[in-house]
Amino acid sequence: MSIDRRKFLGVAAGASALVLAGKASVDALAIGSQPKQGGTLANTRWAMVIDPSKCLKDKGCTACIAACDKVHNIPDFKNPKHAVKWIWKEPFKDAFPGQEDEYTTEQYKDKPFILMCNHCNNPPCVRVCPTQATFRREDGIVMMDWHRCIGCRYCMAACPYGSRSFNWLDPRPHIAHLDTDFPTRTKGVVEKCTFCEERLARGEGPACVEACEAKAMVFGNLDDPDSEVRQLLKARFSIRRNPELGTQPEIYYLV
Amino acid sequence: MNALLSLIVVLVLGALAYVGGSVEGLRTLFGVIIPYAAILTFLVGVAYRVVRWALSPVPFRITTTCGQQKSLPWMKAGYLESPYTTLGVTLRMALEVLLFRSLFRNTKAELRSGPQLVYGENKYLWLAALAFHWSFLIIFLRHLRFFMQPVPAFVNLLSDADGFFQIGAPVLYLTDVFILAALGYLLWRRFRDPQVRYISLFTDYFALFLLIGLAGSGVLMRYFFRPDIVAVKELALGLVTFTPAVPVQVGGLFFVHLFLLSLLIAYFPFSKLMHFAGVFLSPTRNLANNNRAKRHVNPWDYPVKVHTYAEWEEEFHDKIKAAGLPMEKE
Amino acid sequence: MAEHTPKPEELSKVDYHPPKKGWMDPHVEFRKGTFCYSALAKNIEYLGMPNPREWQPFDADWKLPPNWKQIILDGMKERLEKYRSFRLFMDICVRCGACADKCHFYVGSGDPKNMPVLRAELIRSIYRRYFTPAGKMFGPLAGGRELTEEVIKEWFYYFYQCTECRRCSVFCPYGIDQAEITIIGRELLNLIGCNINWVMEPAANCFRTGNHLGIQPHGFKDSIDFAVDELEEITGIRVEAPIMKKGAEVLFIMPSADYFASPHYYTLLGYLMLFHEIGLDYTMSAFAGEGGNFGLFTSHEMMKRLNAKIYEEAKRLKVKWILGGECGHMWRVAHQYMNTLNGPPDFLEVPVSPITGTRFENAKSTKMTHIMEFTADLIHNGKLKLDKSRNDHWKVTHHDPCNVARGMGLLEEPRYVINGVCNHFYDMPENTIREQTFCCGSGAGLGTDENMEMRMRGGLPRGNAVKYVKEKHGVNLLTTICAIDKATLPAVVDYWVGGVEVGGIHELVGNALVMKGEKERTADLRGTPFAAKEVKAHA
Amino acid sequence: MRDKGLIFAGLVFFLVLITFPVWYDLAAGTTSKGPDPKLPTAEKDCVAPVEYMRTSHMDLLLSWRDQVVRQDRLTYKAFDGKTYDMRLTGTCLKCHTNKEEFCDRCHAYAGVAPYCWECHIDPALAQRSRG
């Protein structure tokens, strides 16, 4: 007889002891569930390599942003002060402040760069979160548990990359098409890119990566020496945003 | 001793209900008959007690003034602490009933060697009392969701506010935490403070244990051993709409809760718990301090034997005359 | 000071640990210094009250009437029906204990039955046992107690160990007033002739002669004449002090101690100077020669009997309104009871100050104004010429009398007048003044010498507060506007502090008042040289 | 002074107030009859026995929530050995297709307002919003 069965029979019979408190029942249920299929979290370290030279953004392509907005029910508040953004573009000098000089290659100087949460190895946002709503998974994804977010915005203050957005208003009326597979957020909650962890769980890649026709974005496991990301980083020189801060971003830009 | 005895009494009564809830023949007794009897006792008993108080008049205006009287127009009067008008009295009573103004004043005196008598702030009793009473009121109002169908908006609003922090599911009510903490403090205080322990009667502990049992069984049911809530509401609505029935899905802990509640409300009119009504009638608080401006009439006033001036002058006639004081009769 | 009173060092070692035995055991020990002697038969007889006899509290046999128990229970029933306060206060106490350390007798004695809550429980337990279903059925479990002779002795001990100061009532969440319970408790004891002489003798005296001290009319006149003579010596002015003058505008009522005791006497001088200076058309009365009312400490009925003469005399003398002097329980009666007991005084007019024209709206029904209100109004309107420096030898603090503070709310007027007539005023710590003022420990008829130990215990909080301002500011004068305070605080202050005098506010007014045509004054009303004058002389 | 009028008025006010549910239910024509949630017809088995689900479905959902979000566990092995994806909309609402007729009926009856739907999207609502 499984522990579940015993538990249910116990409840059904109405016989329960004081010590069997709520926590115990949750634990009992947890045993009945399985880790997701595929590799275990332990030997995975998700990262993304972006080749700005391939990006068609200066030609007006917004495929990656549109794809992200669509699958994550990201609201469009119109008012830039209220903007919620998971993935967005920024000129070089703003994306890599201090790294530009008057001789920066023309190719980069005016070229917009695709930015998103860096999923830092040493994430300051995680350290400041008072409820552990933001936490770092073993596979390197800096994850958000929106159920726990109390809207204190410490994480927004801590993030040096401006990767986080706050819902100043109820987002629902501002979402063009509700996707029932993904929750919305509520007023007073912080949100950001999660590397499409819900798609990774289904064995799919991040929505932005799939949407990019130019293949400017490559996603993969850094712990796997044969992965495409590892090969790219080996072959070419890359930079990361604000390396001097010691946050160890997992988004690499090829130069 | 008093404490132990009352704890035992409450535990036995609780156990009785637990058993009664699971014995088929007793379910109607504990689920219908006792609750009805308790409510009836409460309504009739409270009315009786209040009427008894009302029948005793207030012969004198004996306001306890806690602030400056209204006298000269340029002198600032304490319109709340020494109210002069009905409005002032109403506000004073509101402060008293809603915020426990008098208890807020509480201090503690300590005699040190010297002798030196020192006074300190002492607001814990006030805090615990306020936390308990407000929590009790909110919990009471929240429970209306079981007695009213459709559930009124204010009840849902109150539940939402009470569960504001959305901890767990079903969400943790703050008042549940507050009421247990406050009752715990009040009990602990009766044990710890030698003076308060000395004055505490069996009934003081009994009321506390009854309330702790009531709140405790409620908390256990909400967070740990949930009964079928729909069945509970069916039972409650049955009582309110006078179509009583005990659904089969309820039992055990719920009967403990219901029985302790029945005991509490039946005990009300026989106990100090009547202070909830009595506080409104307290003549030292609910009268204006306008004695000299407005005559207060004593309904049972009667003439008394006095020593009149005429008798006095007659008795001391010669002495008054010798002193050369004016007289009525020379 | 009675010789058996322990020294302050011993007395201040108070043990606050309650005894092992529960409070329901009624046994008390009548230890010398902690109780008052019984009322003499002649006083009880004179007032026509029950059971006059020779007895003392420490006697084993109190010679109670055979049906004493029935009398008490009938008396309780009657009072439960007559006084909502009594019935309510019997019912709603939750024994939270907030009142416990608010009582000066508890603070000073540590006797748990002096906690107001427990003093009330002494009678509440009887109420429960005989008047509530729970108490009848469950007895001690429901807090009920059998009424025995021991209980009567216990009541006597503790109801004459309460000064009806009402400080507990300020802190009670339901406003339960121990004074109400003590008043009823004493009424019940009076029904079986258990009362104390220090209350009954003044009451009998007052009923007969018009004042507590039993001073007869010629004595009254002598006293006033003496004061007039002395004032002439001090100021060079012969003031008029009319007694029982018909048609005067104002009838002035004061406590009899003002014209017979010290330091009250200096207050009397102050009144006479003030009234002369402003040209008040007033009169005193030997018949209504007492504002104080020991009936308040006996029974509501006795209070009414003693109080009646004030309105009677006002009517007979055809005055327009009444002015009342510095007194505590006199004002509790005048403010809270008199109009109900013996009113309405329709033959009087709303008090109007003839000097300032101020209409005392707050006294428009009772027609009796407090002299503090009257004098504060004079000072506010600049009608008095005052030389504050004449009080510079005093560093003053003020004791709010319980009855005036918690029974009237007269808190600011005294301070206004004091600040108007002297330069150095320092209030005591805030937990001990205004509505939180501590009793002198001798009010409600307990200010007798055989009760000295208990008086000193009760006076501890007050003494301590005085000591505090003495050490901090060099205070050397404690003013008060209550005759009992003036009589008993000197002993308290000597015992606990030392080096502080007690006086009335109108004494300070008299010192500062610059009278038209006065001779140069070099000393205050007590004959103490003015500080400021000394300095000038040195310079 | 007796103030009888005021006291009796206060007493009557209190008695009416304390018995308010009686008058309210009387006016609303309420009976003690419970709610009538619409059960799925297609599927017979739930992820747990019905007695457990009636009283403790919120425990299960909360446990699912924490496992999915915080522990990256996605599938649930039920008491009868079947496995399910731990998803509110994807799994629960697949059978209980109508939130209004299933969830809301009991919740409204018991005066419970779960905040699940503030984020998770009821398909019916999404449908409506699409027009």
Side-chain angles (χ1 to χ4, degrees):
Chain A
M1 188 185 275
S2 79
I3 189 152
D4 299 345
R5 190 177 297 266
R6 235 184 299 140
K7 162 85 187 153
F8 292 132
L9 290 175
V11 170
S16 29
L18 268 168
V19 285
L20 257 173
K23 188 76 185 86
S25 67
V26 171
D27 289 345
L29 288 162
I31 294 166
S33 51
Q34 312 277 317
K36 65 158 182 143
Q37 290 133 353
T40 57
L41 293 179
N43 50 25
T44 306
R45 205 172 118 215
W46 296 119
M48 191 182 284
V49 177
I50 298 174
D51 186 348
S53 59
K54 284 189 186 171
C55 179
L56 303 171
K57 203 122 183 57
D58 52 342
K59 299 194 173 62
C61 173
T62 55
C64 55
I65 297 176
C68 180
D69 285 357
K70 185 167 174 294
V71 298
H72 296 126
N73 288 324
I74 293 168
D76 178 9
F77 287 117
K78 309 287 192 243
N79 182 350
K81 276 185 193 164
H82 296 160
V84 171
K85 51 192 176 39
W86 288 31
I87 175 169
W88 73 103
K89 61 176 180 173
E90 209 74 79
F92 180 80
K93 67 175 172 52
D94 293 334
F96 298 91
Q99 293 188 37
E100 85 281 10
D101 55 58
E102 54 184 302
Y103 308 109
T104 307
T105 327
E106 281 299 319
Q107 190 186 353
Y108 294 133
K109 202 165 189 175
D110 299 317
K111 186 120 182 162
F113 275 65
I114 285 294
L115 306 179
M116 68 194 84
C117 171
N118 278 311
H119 295 276
C120 306
N121 266 322
N122 183 18
C125 53
V126 169
R127 227 173 311 149
V128 298
C129 179
T131 61
Q132 294 178 18
T134 286
F135 58 99
R136 188 172 175 277
R137 303 201 323 187
E138 273 182 275
D139 60 1
I141 293 180
V142 174
M143 179 67 180
M144 274 206 75
D145 182 348
W146 290 305
H147 303 101
R148 283 209 194 182
C149 179
I150 58 170
C152 71
R153 294 186 287 136
Y154 282 10
C155 54
M156 294 177 70
C159 177
Y161 306 109
S163 300
R164 292 168 164 271
S165 306
F166 185 68
N167 285 280
W168 291 98
L169 303 168
D170 177 12
R172 280 221 173 152
H174 303 278
I175 300 168
H177 294 290
L178 284 174
D179 187 337
T180 51
D181 283 340
F182 200 80
T184 64
R185 273 69 59 194
T186 59
K187 184 175 161 181
V189 165
V190 171
E191 57 183 275
K192 71 167 193 74
C193 157
T194 62
F195 261 174
C196 287
E197 61 85 26
E198 78 285 358
R199 291 169 59 89
L200 298 181
R202 296 198 295 261
E204 298 166 20
C208 51
V209 175
E210 279 191 6
C212 182
E213 287 170 27
K215 307 282 180 220
M217 305 155 104
V218 178
F219 183 79
N221 179 4
L222 283 183
D223 277 357
D224 177 1
D226 303 327
S227 65
E228 195 182 350
V229 283
R230 278 287 287 273
Q231 300 302 327
L232 276 170
L233 292 179
K234 206 161 146 189
R236 295 178 61 181
F237 182 68
S238 64
I239 58 171
R240 292 189 283 179
R241 296 180 68 195
N242 305 58
E244 71 281 6
L245 296 175
T247 55
Q248 302 287 343
E250 291 289 26
I251 310 267
Y252 298 81
Y253 295 88
L254 298 176
V255 290
Chain B
M1 186 56 221
N2 278 336
L4 194 66
L5 195 61
S6 45
L7 176 64
I8 291 169
V9 169
V10 172
L11 285 178
V12 166
L13 290 169
L16 202 70
Y18 192 87
V19 173
S22 38
V23 175
E24 192 46 53
L26 294 177
R27 287 165 60 83
T28 309
L29 176 67
F30 281 94
V32 178
I33 296 170
I34 290 177
Y36 271 137
I39 292 164
L40 198 68
T41 311
F42 176 81
L43 295 177
V44 173
V46 166
Y48 175 77
R49 290 296 289 272
V50 172
V51 168
R52 279 288 283 269
W53 288 331
L55 290 180
S56 299
V58 178
F60 301 106
R61 188 176 283 268
I62 49 167
T63 323
T64 302
T65 55
C66 298
Q68 170 62 27
Q69 64 165 352
K70 184 182 180 306
S71 56
L72 296 158
W74 47 271
M75 198 155 271
K76 195 166 177 283
Y79 63 98
L80 285 176
E81 304 285 22
S82 192
Y84 192 71
T85 57
T86 308
L87 176 68
V89 170
T90 311
L91 291 174
R92 184 188 200 190
M93 285 305 290
L95 273 184
E96 200 65 80
V97 173
L98 301 176
L99 297 174
F100 304 174
R101 172 72 184 97
S102 293
L103 212 48
F104 186 70
R105 257 189 277 266
N106 199 13
T107 56
K108 77 177 166 243
E110 193 184 308
L111 185 61
R112 297 185 182 159
S113 66
Q116 194 192 7
L117 194 54
V118 292
Y119 309 92
E121 292 275 307
N122 189 7
K123 304 240 186 286
Y124 290 114
L125 175 61
W126 170 80
L127 193 67
L130 204 67
F132 163 70
H133 283 87
W134 274 103
S135 298
F136 191 90
L137 176 67
I138 292 169
I139 291 170
F140 173 80
L141 292 176
R142 273 205 280 99
H143 275 73
L144 289 179
R145 72 184 170 116
F146 296 111
F147 296 97
M148 292 160 96
Q149 178 60 25
V151 182
F154 81 91
V155 176
N156 285 329
L157 212 66
L158 205 60
S159 307
D160 281 354
D162 202 354
F164 178 78
F165 287 105
Q166 301 188 337
I167 299 168
V171 291
L172 178 73
Y173 285 135
L174 293 179
T175 49
D176 286 353
V177 177
F178 290 158
I179 199 169
L180 284 179
L183 285 169
Y185 173 79
L186 293 173
L187 182 67
W188 178 71
R189 186 176 163 275
R190 280 204 188 273
F191 287 138
R192 181 216 53 180
D193 192 321
Q195 278 76 33
V196 184
R197 190 170 60 225
Y198 193 68
I199 59 175
S200 294
L201 296 171
F202 170 85
T203 50
D204 298 324
Y205 293 109
F206 182 65
L208 268 177
F209 283 125
L210 213 50
L211 284 164
I212 290 171
L214 185 63
S217 57
V219 162
L220 283 179
M221 269 196 294
R222 178 170 176 84
Y223 304 103
F224 304 113
F225 308 107
R226 275 182 289 271
D228 187 323
I229 200 159
V230 166
V232 167
K233 181 158 183 174
E234 280 170 357
L235 190 151
L237 275 183
L239 289 173
V240 176
T241 57
F242 302 103
T243 48
V246 183
V248 287
Q249 299 96 319
V250 294
L253 200 52
F254 172 77
F255 275 86
V256 176
H257 192 65
L258 183 64
F259 185 56
L260 291 182
L261 174 71
S262 302
L263 278 179
L264 182 75
I265 62 176
Y267 179 59
F268 244 90
F270 301 98
S271 68
K272 66 170 188 178
L273 303 178
M274 279 305 292
H275 69 257
F276 88 95
V279 65
F280 292 96
L281 301 190
S282 182
T284 57
R285 290 283 188 276
N286 70 7
L287 293 170
N289 178 32
N290 59 1
N291 297 271
R292 280 187 288 155
K294 203 171 161 214
R295 183 166 184 259
H296 184 90
V297 178
N298 174 1
W300 50 258
D301 194 23
Y302 57 89
V304 295
K305 185 180 178 312
V306 297
H307 196 207
T308 62
Y309 176 81
E311 289 163 345
W312 180 81
E313 190 183 283
E314 201 180 316
E315 185 172 349
F316 298 107
H317 183 270
D318 298 347
K319 285 161 179 168
I320 299 170
K321 199 165 180 180
L325 292 172
M327 302 178 79
E328 292 289 323
K329 292 183 199 160
E330 281 305 316
Chain C
M1 190 81 37
E3 70 282 352
H4 50 254
T5 308
K7 295 271 169 296
E9 307 80 67
E10 293 168 52
L11 208 63
S12 60
K13 286 188 192 108
V14 181
D15 181 11
Y16 292 105
H17 294 284
K20 284 268 179 288
K21 65 170 189 182
W23 63 264
M24 287 209 177
D25 178 355
H27 180 74
V28 284
E29 196 188 329
F30 287 90
R31 196 164 48 81
K32 254 194 172 1
T34 63
F35 67 93
C36 305
Y37 294 146
S38 63
L40 297 177
K42 64 165 183 160
N43 293 322
I44 299 183
E45 256 161 32
Y46 183 77
L47 290 170
M49 294 180 68
N51 202 19
R53 70 205 183 283
E54 292 302 322
W55 70 288
Q56 281 302 343
F58 44 78
D59 293 343
D61 180 10
W62 279 25
K63 302 177 188 165
L64 300 181
N67 59 338
W68 66 268
K69 195 170 169 179
Q70 201 51 49
I71 295 174
I72 293 287
L73 292 176
D74 289 348
M76 275 181 82
K77 183 170 186 294
E78 182 190 339
R79 280 157 188 81
L80 287 167
E81 280 158 12
K82 274 182 166 178
Y83 298 90
R84 186 179 300 157
S85 55
F86 186 43
R87 189 183 278 283
L88 197 75
F89 296 164
M90 289 295 103
D91 280 335
I92 64 173
C93 175
V94 298
R95 286 168 294 282
C96 71
C99 57
D101 59 357
K102 309 304 179 288
C103 175
H104 50 286
F105 281 124
Y106 177 68
V107 171
S109 74
D111 183 342
K113 290 188 185 177
N114 270 328
M115 292 191 267
V117 48
L118 214 45
R119 200 186 285 112
E121 286 289 308
L122 303 180
I123 198 163
R124 233 178 245 136
S125 55
I126 305 303
Y127 164 75
R128 288 194 207 102
R129 165 65 186 78
Y130 294 93
F131 297 94
T132 69
K136 280 181 196 166
M137 235 184 300
F138 297 106
L141 216 50
R145 226 169 34 141
E146 289 298 321
L147 179 58
T148 62
E149 250 187 85
E150 285 279 285
V151 170
I152 296 297
K153 292 181 180 180
E154 178 196 42
W155 283 9
F156 180 88
Y157 188 69
Y158 289 104
F159 292 145
Y160 288 103
Q161 237 171 62
C162 166
T163 46
E164 304 177 0
C165 81
R166 313 180 89 202
R167 192 169 189 266
C168 48
S169 150
V170 168
F171 295 91
C172 176
Y174 317 116
I176 296 176
D177 185 1
Q178 178 59 43
E180 278 298 292
I181 296 168
T182 297
I183 288 169
I184 301 285
R186 289 188 181 186
E187 275 197 27
L188 295 172
L189 288 171
N190 266 289
L191 296 177
I192 53 173
C194 298
N195 27 35
I196 65 172
N197 203 50
W198 195 252
V199 169
M200 294 311 275
E201 184 145 322
N205 282 340
C206 190
F207 194 68
R208 176 164 174 256
T209 63
N211 60 70
H212 294 151
L213 302 160
I215 301 162
Q216 296 185 7
H218 59 294
F220 180 87
K221 178 149 193 318
D222 283 352
S223 229
I224 300 295
D225 286 350
F226 185 84
V228 170
D229 290 344
E230 186 159 351
L231 269 181
E232 189 173 11
E233 252 173 60
I234 296 169
T235 63
I237 296 167
R238 186 150 190 94
V239 303
E240 211 187 322
I243 299 170
M244 308 212 272
K245 180 177 106 183
K246 276 200 178 174
E249 185 173 356
V250 176
L251 171 63
F252 181 60
I253 302 283
M254 61 188 149
S256 56
D258 282 1
Y259 52 87
F260 215 77
S262 177
H264 312 64
Y265 178 67
Y266 308 113
T267 306
L268 171 67
L269 298 183
Y271 301 146
L272 296 178
M273 291 164 76
L274 177 72
F275 297 157
H276 171 86
E277 189 56 25
I278 60 173
L280 186 70
D281 177 18
Y282 78 108
T283 180
M284 291 171 278
S285 166
F287 170 64
E290 178 66 83
N293 190 329
F294 274 56
L296 176 65
F297 312 142
T298 310
S299 66
H300 287 91
E301 182 175 308
M302 186 53 67
M303 172 164 53
K304 183 173 178 175
R305 289 171 69 185
L306 297 183
N307 175 262
K309 54 190 160 40
I310 293 180
Y311 279 150
E312 187 188 347
E313 187 67 341
K315 192 172 188 179
R316 186 184 73 85
L317 294 175
K318 298 191 170 55
V319 298
K320 287 185 181 159
W321 55 279
I322 305 168
L323 183 63
E326 295 185 8
C327 191
H329 71 270
M330 150 177 163
W331 270 104
R332 173 92 198 273
V333 177
H335 183 73
Q336 297 202 326
Y337 293 101
M338 179 163 78
N339 201 1
T340 304
L341 291 171
N342 292 306
D346 298 331
F347 45 88
L348 296 174
E349 293 173 12
V350 177
V352 175
S353 170
I355 293 88
T356 64
T358 301
R359 210 174 123 95
F360 293 95
E361 288 291 342
N362 65 327
K364 66 183 174 214
S365 178
T366 303
K367 274 94 171 176
M368 183 160 173
T369 298
H370 196 289
I371 192 155
M372 280 298 138
E373 298 165 345
F374 183 74
T375 305
D377 174 59
L378 289 173
I379 294 176
H380 184 74
N381 286 294
K383 299 292 180 188
L384 302 180
K385 193 175 173 203
L386 298 162
D387 179 1
K388 287 183 173 190
S389 71
R390 287 186 189 174
N391 281 316
D392 278 355
H393 57 303
W394 292 124
K395 292 214 174 354
V396 183
T397 192
H398 180 66
H399 164 78
D400 289 286
C402 321
N403 285 304
V404 168
R406 287 182 284 265
M408 244 186 126
L410 185 103
L411 307 172
E412 292 303 331
E413 289 88 346
R415 287 172 175 78
Y416 184 82
V417 173
I418 292 172
N419 282 317
V421 299
C422 75
N423 286 313
H424 309 293
F425 173 68
Y426 308 95
D427 250 328
M428 286 180 275
E430 62 175 332
N431 282 315
T432 69
I433 54 167
R434 299 177 196 263
E435 73 274 8
Q436 296 195 26
T437 188
F438 269 108
C439 180
C440 59
S442 308
L446 310 185
T448 164
D449 278 2
E450 72 260 19
N451 190 36
M452 192 56 85
E453 180 186 328
M454 215 56 219
R455 283 173 55 191
M456 294 305 110
R457 288 187 182 280
L460 189 153
R462 174 43 78 224
N464 222 266
V466 174
K467 195 170 155 201
Y468 177 82
V469 283
K470 187 202 169 190
E471 284 167 2
K472 193 167 178 194
H473 305 291
V475 160
N476 59 1
L477 180 71
L478 174 66
T479 60
T480 179
I481 47 172
C482 164
I484 288 183
D485 281 331
K486 284 174 193 158
T488 65
L489 276 176
V492 168
V493 170
D494 276 353
Y495 184 84
W496 291 113
V497 192
V500 176
E501 301 286 315
V502 176
I505 291 179
H506 276 81
E507 177 187 342
L508 296 181
V509 173
N511 284 342
L513 188 66
V514 180
M515 299 174 74
K516 284 182 279 296
E518 69 175 14
K519 68 178 191 190
E520 198 195 347
R521 285 163 64 186
T522 54
D524 69 5
L525 297 177
R526 298 184 182 207
T528 316
F530 292 140
K533 296 284 189 309
E534 266 176 10
V535 173
K536 261 182 217 157
H538 287 300
Chain D
M1 189 192 75
R2 292 186 189 273
D3 272 346
K4 272 196 212 156
L6 200 62
I7 297 172
F8 290 155
L11 181 62
V12 169
F13 178 71
F14 171 75
L15 292 177
V16 169
L17 207 63
I18 202 83
T19 52
F20 179 63
V22 175
W23 316 123
Y24 179 90
D25 289 333
L26 203 66
T30 303
T31 64
S32 64
K33 197 180 156 306
D36 183 22
K38 199 167 167 190
L39 297 171
T41 44
E43 194 74 43
K44 272 199 210 87
D45 291 330
C46 193
V47 298
V50 67
E51 294 83 3
Y52 177 83
M53 291 308 279
R54 276 176 80 97
T55 60
S56 303
H57 59 277
M58 59 297 246
D59 281 343
L60 186 89
L61 288 171
L62 229 61
S63 159
W64 280 17
R65 172 183 108 180
D66 285 342
Q67 289 182 63
V68 170
V69 179
R70 305 192 75 88
Q71 293 158 17
D72 202 30
R73 289 189 175 124
L74 299 176
T75 51
Y76 175 74
K77 193 172 169 197
F79 73 111
D80 55 4
K82 282 192 196 159
T83 58
Y84 296 89
D85 279 353
M86 291 193 279
R87 296 172 69 198
L88 174 65
T89 40
T91 302
C92 303
L93 290 192
K94 205 172 82 196
C95 301
H96 304 286
T97 47
N98 196 326
K99 166 181 163 283
E100 273 167 39
E101 288 175 356
F102 181 70
C103 309
D104 292 354
R105 280 193 183 166
C106 286
H107 285 156
Y109 182 75
V112 177
Y115 51 96
C116 312
W117 309 107
E118 288 172 21
C119 293
H120 293 272
I121 301 162
D122 166 20
L125 177 81
Q127 204 102 58
R128 266 207 305 281
S129 79
R130 280 192 201 105

